[in-house]
Amino acid sequence: MEAQQAHAIQASGHVAEVDTQLQPAQAELGRLEAEQQIIETQERIARQRLHEAEAHHNSAVLEAGRREDELNNLHGKIDEDLGLVELDMTEVTGPMPLPLKPIVEELPIVHELPEGIETEIQRRKAQLHRIGPISPEVQQEFKETQERYGFLTTQNEDLQKAIESLNHVIAELDELMRTSFVETFKAIAAEFKNTFARLFGGGTAKIVLTDPDNITTTGIDIVARPPGKRQQGLALLSGGERSLAAAALLFAILKVRPTPFCFLDEVDAALDEANVGRFRDMLKELSTGTQFVIITHNRGTVEAADTIYGITMGTDNASLALSLKLEGETISASA
């Protein structure tokens, strides 16, 4: 029994010694397991980052391919719209193209597109489409058109100068006509008062402008006051008074601006004997500077004539023209 107890005590001491040796190993094992978990966590995070980096790389490769396709499309569109142009080759990979300086055009660098550029581009494209393909003779046509344009421009400038010169002449003529008209009108107006009073045996009359501010478009009215009547317009006078007033105005004009000949057609038809006498006296007075040819049936007017021409019916029922001088015998007669 004692041997068993001694053996048990010995075994217990051996177990205690083993436990004492096992505790550091267990502690180290726990530390290593904790480190293993940390390393596994770090590995999982690294793998996740690797997957994300690979996804970003693949996306970047796809985006680069898409951008390259867009760049190629833009190059083709530039060639289509603008022809051969000089491009920046600093970032282009592969062999450099041959220099094309003599036949290419250098485009300016644009950092910001102006507003409405797309609409303007479409409009220009529509114009190019309407123009159609370029003809090899277009340069010659342009030269001929340019020469024609220069010729027409010169002709137009000459015409403009001629128009200005004519306008200047017209303005001068208008001014001369206004001045001459005003002077003549004043002279005739002054003379008309005298001739009216002489033909009517009294009374007053005057001529007035309907629009004094516009001499070139104004009309003329006659305001008369025959003897014993009130002042009134020409339309309110009787037929004889209107005829005599018109004759007074005609005689006033002839006194201011006499003419070699004057033809009167029955202006004395509505005049009475007294007025005819005054009318005839003024005819004689003016006949010293103007030759009057008068068509009349009034015997008082015929008495003032130097020569009379008449139409009568011959024996053969044909018209017969007669001419004679009052103080002499018949000069001629013809059928």
Side-chain angles (χ1 to χ4, degrees):
M1 187 70 176
E2 294 179 352
Q4 291 179 347
Q5 290 178 350
H7 183 71
I9 292 171
Q10 184 179 2
S12 297
H14 183 68
V15 169
E17 183 181 358
V18 171
D19 287 338
T20 302
Q21 294 177 353
L22 184 60
Q23 286 178 358
Q26 288 178 345
E28 181 69 17
L29 177 61
R31 186 183 65 78
L32 292 175
E33 287 178 350
E35 290 182 355
Q36 181 181 6
Q37 290 179 357
I38 293 173
I39 292 173
E40 287 178 353
T41 301
Q42 291 177 349
E43 180 186 7
R44 185 172 60 256
I45 294 173
R47 287 182 181 277
Q48 184 177 359
R49 289 179 177 176
L50 177 62
H51 288 315
E52 291 177 355
E54 289 178 349
H56 282 302
H57 173 72
N58 293 333
S59 177
V61 171
L62 292 175
E63 182 66 17
R66 188 175 66 83
R67 294 291 184 179
E68 187 175 0
D69 292 338
E70 290 181 356
L71 182 61
N72 292 332
N73 290 334
L74 288 175
H75 287 171
K77 190 175 181 180
I78 289 174
D79 292 339
E80 179 183 353
D81 294 342
L82 304 175
L84 294 175
V85 296
E86 184 178 1
L87 303 175
D88 187 7
M89 297 297 180
T90 56
E91 299 181 359
V92 178
T93 60
M96 295 296 292
L98 294 175
L100 300 174
K101 281 287 185 181
I103 59 175
V104 300
E105 179 181 357
E106 182 178 0
L107 295 180
I109 298 176
V110 179
H111 298 286
E112 183 179 357
L113 293 178
E115 185 179 356
I117 188 65
E118 293 294 336
T119 304
E120 181 65 16
I121 290 175
Q122 295 299 326
R123 188 178 68 83
R124 294 299 178 89
K125 284 184 176 180
Q127 289 180 346
L128 289 174
H129 180 71
R130 289 195 298 268
I131 292 174
I134 299 176
S135 171
E137 299 178 355
V138 69
Q139 187 172 3
Q140 180 64 25
E141 293 179 0
F142 171 76
K143 183 178 179 181
E144 294 175 355
T145 303
Q146 190 176 33
E147 293 176 354
R148 179 64 176 171
Y149 173 77
F151 172 75
L152 292 178
T153 301
T154 304
Q155 294 294 314
N156 182 61
E157 292 175 354
D158 293 340
L159 289 176
Q160 291 296 331
K161 293 179 180 178
I163 290 173
E164 293 178 359
S165 178
L166 288 176
N167 288 334
H168 181 69
V169 172
I170 290 172
E172 291 182 348
L173 290 176
D174 286 342
E175 185 61 29
L176 290 175
M177 286 190 294
R178 290 189 187 96
T179 304
S180 178
F181 176 81
V182 171
E183 293 176 354
T184 305
F185 176 80
K186 291 179 179 179
I188 293 175
E191 195 63 41
F192 176 63
K193 294 180 180 179
N194 298 327
T195 56
F196 182 89
R198 289 183 58 185
L199 288 178
F200 278 83
T204 61
K206 62 180 179 179
I207 54 176
V208 295
L209 299 177
T210 59
D211 189 4
D213 296 331
N214 297 310
I215 297 299
T216 57
T217 58
T218 185
I220 298 176
D221 279 343
I222 297 177
V223 180
R225 186 178 65 81
K229 294 185 178 181
R230 61 183 178 85
Q231 183 172 286
Q232 53 192 336
L234 185 65
L236 299 178
L237 299 177
S238 64
E241 290 172 339
R242 285 199 299 269
S243 298
L244 202 59
L249 179 59
L250 174 63
F251 291 154
I253 295 173
L254 291 176
K255 285 188 175 183
V256 175
R257 291 287 189 271
T259 60
F261 298 93
C262 180
F263 291 83
L264 303 177
D265 186 4
E266 297 192 23
V267 296
D268 56 350
L271 302 182
D272 55 21
E273 291 296 332
N275 291 331
V276 169
R278 290 190 289 268
F279 176 77
R280 181 181 62 238
D281 293 339
M282 190 161 288
L283 281 177
K284 291 181 178 181
E285 179 182 334
L286 294 174
S287 63
T288 57
T290 300
Q291 183 174 357
F292 289 93
V293 177
I294 304 174
I295 299 173
T296 181
H297 294 88
N298 195 305
R299 289 178 296 176
T301 304
V302 173
E303 292 176 359
D306 296 330
T307 304
I308 300 176
Y309 294 88
I311 303 296
T312 184
M313 182 73 69
T315 57
D316 55 355
N317 295 328
S319 296
L320 180 66
L322 301 176
S323 61
L324 56 92
K325 287 186 177 182
L326 293 180
E327 68 275 14
E329 57 184 14
T330 300
I331 297 173
S332 64
S334 58

